[in-house]
Amino acid sequence: MNLDQQLLRRYQSGDGLPAAITSNSLAESLGTRIENIDAAGPGIELSFSVGQHFLQAEDVVHGGIVTTMLDFAMAYAALLAVPDGLSVATINMNVSCLRSARPGHYRAVAEIERCGRSVVFARAQLLDRENKLVATAASSLAVVVPRRKSLQGAVSAPENA
C-alpha cells in the first residue's frame, strides 16, 4: 500500500489528530500536519508551516510551493477515496492564485467531487492564518497501482499536537 495511504488510514477515524505527515520528505519539510479527515466526503484538511527558504525574490512564497500544498491536499483526499492498495498520480491541475502568500501557517482543505475507477476529480482551497483565501485548485488524478511495495516500519509513530 502507498506509504501516504497507510498514514491516512491510521488516522481515518480522526483519533490522534492532528498528526505530522512522516511518510513524505517534502511534506515533512513543509511541516505538514493532518488536521482533519472527513472519511465520508472524502475530504481532508492539512496545515503547513512555510518558512523563508520557500520564498522567491519578492519575499513571497514561490508559486510552486502554493501549488504543492494544494496538490498534497487533493492527492491525500483522493488516497482516502480509492481502495487500499491503489495509489493516485496527478494528471492535471488548474491553480488560481488569488493573493500573495507570505511565510507562515496555511491550511489546505480538499474534497473529492467524483471518484471513478480510473480517475478522481478533486478541488482544494488554500487559506492563510487569518482564514483568507490565497489560492484554489481543481485536479484530475489517475488511479494507479503503486510502483513500490510498502516498507514495513517506514511510517513512524504519530506526533500529536
Side-chain angles (χ1 to χ4, degrees):
M1 182 185 306
N2 175 303
L3 296 177
D4 291 323
Q5 190 179 50
Q6 286 179 3
L7 182 74
L8 292 168
R9 293 290 189 243
R10 178 184 298 159
Y11 296 108
Q12 193 164 356
S13 70
D15 293 338
L17 293 180
I21 293 185
T22 57
S23 56
N24 183 300
S25 60
L26 179 56
E28 285 185 78
S29 70
L30 286 167
T32 310
R33 299 176 64 78
I34 304 167
E35 298 293 336
N36 188 32
I37 292 176
D38 174 9
I44 194 162
E45 179 181 333
L46 303 177
S47 64
F48 303 88
S49 295
V50 180
Q52 299 288 326
H53 54 286
F54 291 115
L55 301 184
Q56 48 97 311
E58 294 296 322
D59 288 333
V60 296
V61 177
H62 190 282
I65 298 302
V66 169
T67 301
T68 297
M69 291 186 281
L70 291 162
D71 189 40
F72 268 126
M74 292 183 291
Y76 283 12
L79 285 171
L80 289 165
V82 299
D84 288 352
L86 295 178
S87 190
V88 296
T90 302
I91 298 170
N92 66 38
M93 184 176 2
N94 183 9
V95 177
S96 296
C97 294
L98 307 174
R99 68 178 68 240
S100 296
R102 300 284 177 192
H105 296 282
Y106 290 88
R107 290 182 313 115
V109 181
E111 65 183 6
I112 300 305
E113 292 186 325
R114 183 176 183 280
C115 182
R117 287 184 293 171
S118 59
V119 179
V120 179
F121 300 91
R123 290 198 169 280
Q125 296 182 327
L126 185 68
L127 301 127
D128 67 12
R129 182 176 288 210
E130 286 96 34
N131 217 30
K132 291 180 182 172
L133 189 59
V134 174
T136 62
S139 181
S140 302
L141 301 101
V143 178
V144 299
V145 175
R147 289 185 179 183
R148 65 178 173 168
K149 298 191 187 278
S150 69
L151 305 173
Q152 292 293 355
V155 179
S156 62
E159 293 180 30
N160 295 329

